[in-house]
Amino acid sequence: MTFRQCSAIKHILDVAKGFKDTQEFKELPQRVSEIRKRLAHERQSKTENDAAVDKSGDKCLSQIQTLRQTFNVIFDRLERHTISEMESRKTSLRNNIQADVDQIDDVTEKLEMLTDALKDGSDTNEALSYIGFSKCDEVIFNAQLLLQTIANKDDFKMTFQSFKGITEYMSSLEMLGEVICEGGEKPLPGPDHVFEVEKHVLHNVKVADDKNVCFITGICRLANGEFLLSDNKNSKLKLFNSSYQVMSTSNVPDYPQDVCSTGQREAAVTVDDGKDRHEILLVRIKAGKIKLMKTIKCQHPCGGLAHHGGHLYVTTNTALHEYDMAGGQGRQLYSDETGQYTVTSCAVSSDGSRIYITNYACHQLITLNKDGTTLSTLTHPELHYPATPHVTAQGHVFIRCRELNTVVQVTEKNNQQTVTTLAGEKNGLTSPYSLCFSSNNSLLVSQVNDDNIVELKLK
């Protein structure tokens, strides 16, 4: 360690001599007083701030406890409704099982009675024996049909799947999650499977107070298996049960254009009168009744409609707009101003990665990604004036071609899209319009100015 050599040394007594008489020394008490006041002020401020923090903490705690109480009320309601739904669906599944058991018991009892009768009369009367044999043979045939029907069903079971984003939506949900029933019908084949029509059936959708012939411009399937229909000519929404019967109706402004499911028992409807009314109605179905919850007003025509992940997709005939259901803020995703009907309708894949829009004027199916970027443009002779695309949960794509009176299926393999005509006039189609896939391998097709919906049973 080294030390620097001092150039000069002064004694402190010499330095301090006369210092008490200097102005600097005389001002020291005042400086100390001022700094102490400032320190005291800051200390008091920090003490008050500490108390304020404690008080605000108590307020936050109160708000948290109030929110928790609100959550408790909501969760209690959701739990009751979810359990009630589960019990209802469990009862339905057990009733289906019991129906099979009852049929088995009925056939078994008939076989037992007939075999006993044959034993008793076999030695005395050949005619009675022949009649008994014939009846027994018929029952055996029916038993074989029953066994075949039962063999084509999977065992029923139930699982519970909670809703995603339940914290954000729980105040508007009816249940904590969807009760998924498995079994019954076999699962659908993959998206590259090309369906065929086995037969078609007509279902009437007209109700007593309809003033005009029906024009069902939109069909959507709800989570409980029911359907919501938009009747343009009668300005109504119609609730259609899984047995294809109208359960209830609700009047809406002129004129409903399309409808899509947005939740467990919720749906959206586009309404446009071609003048100054351009709206999206958000509705809820509860206890068989249709109730209006919210109206989103738009500054453009409202036609085709689709939903995914809390976002609504609306066509204007020349553009596709996306709306946030919570705030109602819209943005244009895609536009084609080259014609009058270049963006007529839309559909969204189950994962939200693909948006399908139809260019009616140019006979095209256009596939976009979720940002509105064009992925592909399909043109095909059988894709003539296409509209109202419909996508199943498995990815099957159906489109109606009104001028040809057909419904086509679009499949994709190795990035190659193929168009196949699924149904036409021989299947009861005269002017197909909206489409909706049912859970029992059926495609529902409404028609222009027609009181009936055509159910195409597929295989």
Side-chain angles (χ1 to χ4, degrees), residues 65-80 170:
Q65 291 172 339
T66 300
L67 185 61
R68 174 57 187 267
Q69 291 172 359
T70 302
F71 284 171
N72 287 343
V73 172
I74 293 172
F75 274 113
D76 286 345
R77 172 175 62 84
L78 294 177
E79 183 183 34
R80 288 195 307 272
M170 64 182 179

Side-chain angles (χ1 to χ4, degrees), residues 199-220:
K199 64 177 181 178
H200 69 275
V201 182
L202 300 182
H203 302 289
N204 191 274
V205 295
K206 192 173 185 64
V207 296
D209 61 345
D210 282 348
K211 296 180 180 179
N212 303 300
V213 66
C214 297
F215 181 13
I216 305 302
T217 52
I219 310 173
C220 74

Side-chain angles (χ1 to χ4, degrees), residues 190-194 354 356 365 367 376 378 394-397 409-420:
D192 57 348
H193 173 78
V194 179
R354 292 189 170 199
Y356 299 91
L365 173 67
T367 306
S376 66
L378 175 63
Q394 287 74 21
H396 309 98
V397 180
Q409 181 181 353
V410 178
T411 53
E412 181 173 341
K413 192 172 184 179
N414 298 325
N415 295 322
Q416 293 292 322
Q417 291 177 307
T418 303
V419 179
T420 305

Side-chain angles (χ1 to χ4, degrees), residues 315-328:
T315 63
T316 71
N317 285 330
T318 58
L320 176 70
H321 288 254
E322 179 187 24
Y323 280 83
D324 179 3
M325 289 178 60

Side-chain angles (χ1 to χ4, degrees), residues 159-201:
T159 57
F160 176 77
Q161 180 178 327
S162 63
F163 290 121
K164 293 181 179 179
I166 191 169
T167 303
E168 293 81 359
Y169 290 102
M170 64 182 179
S171 61
S172 63
L173 295 173
E174 291 294 325
M175 300 182 297
L176 289 173
E178 182 180 355
V179 177
I180 301 173
C181 299
E182 299 180 4
E185 300 295 334
K186 298 288 187 181
L188 286 175
D192 57 348
H193 173 78
V194 179
F195 287 96
E196 296 178 15
V197 178
E198 285 188 308
K199 64 177 181 178
H200 69 275
V201 182

Side-chain angles (χ1 to χ4, degrees), residues 203-205 219-222 224-229 238-248 288 438-440 444 453 455:
H203 302 289
N204 191 274
V205 295
I219 310 173
C220 74
R221 184 176 182 270
L222 304 174
N224 63 354
E226 296 172 349
F227 299 87
L228 192 63
L229 317 178
K238 297 180 176 181
L239 189 61
F240 211 36
N241 65 18
S242 56
S243 299
Y244 308 120
Q245 299 171 325
V246 178
M247 299 169 59
S248 64
S438 178
S439 61
N440 58 351
L444 300 183
I453 284 180
E455 178 192 9

